[in-house]
Amino acid sequence: MERPVKDGILYVQHCKFGKRSWRKMRAQLFAASPSGVARMEKFDVRDDGTALEKTSLRRCARRVIRLSDCVSVGPAGTESCPRATAAFYLTTTEKSYVLAAEQRDEWIAQLCQLAFQGAKEMVQSSARTQPSPAVPMEENSLYSSWQDLTEFPVLVVRTDAAARCGLHGHYLLSALPESLTLKDPQSRQSLLTWPYPFLRKFGQDQTIFSIEAGRRSDSGEGTFTFSTPRALELCRAVATAITCQQQGKDAPDP
């Protein structure tokens, strides 16, 4: 029988009609084994907050998050959390979760170890097979890939404009130098483009990023809202791109 590597109480944030609430859950983390994949299993707890017995856990509704689908894990310090807890986010290829726990750092560390250890070992194994370079080199701790800085996994929040364009589920939102572009997360094919001169407004609030598109946009006018734990980074990237484009526009032509 599999034994969880971590077991405890988590709070899961839900957003309904713009109102956020927290639901208490029992969570267990399992490492990959011949019996199953690396995963998080979530169960309901009693109304009084006490944990269910093992036999009850097997009978009650179980929700599974495959850690092989995990994209990123990290602290979410701006969330209003239940008492004595701190928030963190867990983003997978299917969904973004905002969670809270009393031992947040321990949960983050254990999730990262289970979700990314296999990929890290593959990279290290590949590195050992490569010939060492003739020139000694050091790691640049400030390095970030272009995609890390410009591509953000987002979940579409239903609005009239999103429904009209048939948008639902997960996408990639890219803050490119000339425009904001919505891409398919698998093929990375461009689906919608909003040139910055056609954006009337943009902004963020905690894990929500919103834009108001003008009627000259591919999408037509309307408000588009996206859920992402990196909402602040995304908003800053758009603001920086707009500033750079404005400076370029004001500069004299060669």
Side-chain angles (χ1 to χ4, degrees), residues 139-218:
E139 294 287 343
N140 179 6
S141 61
L142 297 179
Y143 172 78
S144 291
S145 71
W146 176 81
Q147 287 184 336
D148 289 340
L149 297 175
T150 61
E151 285 192 349
F152 302 84
V154 298
L155 176 66
V156 170
V157 178
R158 181 177 174 83
T159 63
D160 291 342
R164 185 184 69 245
C165 295
L167 300 180
H168 58 84
H170 290 261
Y171 298 89
L172 290 175
L173 197 56
S174 293
L176 301 176
E178 303 293 331
S179 63
L180 191 62
T181 301
L182 192 69
K183 300 180 179 179
D184 181 275
Q186 304 300 327
S187 65
R188 282 186 158 74
Q189 181 180 357
S190 176
L191 303 175
L192 277 177
T193 299
W194 294 282
Y196 296 126
F198 298 166
L199 286 185
R200 292 174 180 166
K201 300 176 183 178
F202 68 96
Q204 60 87 214
D205 178 21
Q206 295 187 3
T207 59
I208 297 296
F209 175 77
S210 295
I211 61 172
E212 182 181 329
R215 61 174 175 265
R216 289 196 293 167
S217 301
D218 294 344

Side-chain angles (χ1 to χ4, degrees), residues 67-196:
L67 297 183
S68 59
D69 296 333
C70 185
V71 175
S72 60
V73 182
T78 59
E79 296 295 327
S80 176
C81 305
R83 187 177 179 181
T85 67
F88 64 99
Y89 66 83
L90 170 63
T91 303
T92 70
T93 55
E94 298 294 328
K95 188 176 181 180
S96 294
Y97 301 88
V98 178
L99 308 166
E102 292 184 1
Q103 301 171 329
R104 177 184 68 176
D105 293 343
E106 291 184 17
W107 282 96
I108 292 176
Q110 194 66 67
L111 282 165
C112 288
Q113 182 178 357
L114 296 178
F116 307 125
Q117 184 179 27
K120 181 179 180 181
E121 289 174 352
M122 288 179 62
V123 171
Q124 291 175 341
S125 175
S126 175
R128 286 194 294 267
T129 63
Q130 299 296 324
S132 57
V135 179
M137 293 189 293
E138 295 183 7
E139 294 287 343
N140 179 6
S141 61
L142 297 179
Y143 172 78
S144 291
S145 71
W146 176 81
Q147 287 184 336
D148 289 340
L149 297 175
T150 61
E151 285 192 349
F152 302 84
V154 298
L155 176 66
V156 170
V157 178
R158 181 177 174 83
T159 63
D160 291 342
R164 185 184 69 245
C165 295
L167 300 180
H168 58 84
H170 290 261
Y171 298 89
L172 290 175
L173 197 56
S174 293
L176 301 176
E178 303 293 331
S179 63
L180 191 62
T181 301
L182 192 69
K183 300 180 179 179
D184 181 275
Q186 304 300 327
S187 65
R188 282 186 158 74
Q189 181 180 357
S190 176
L191 303 175
L192 277 177
T193 299
W194 294 282
Y196 296 126

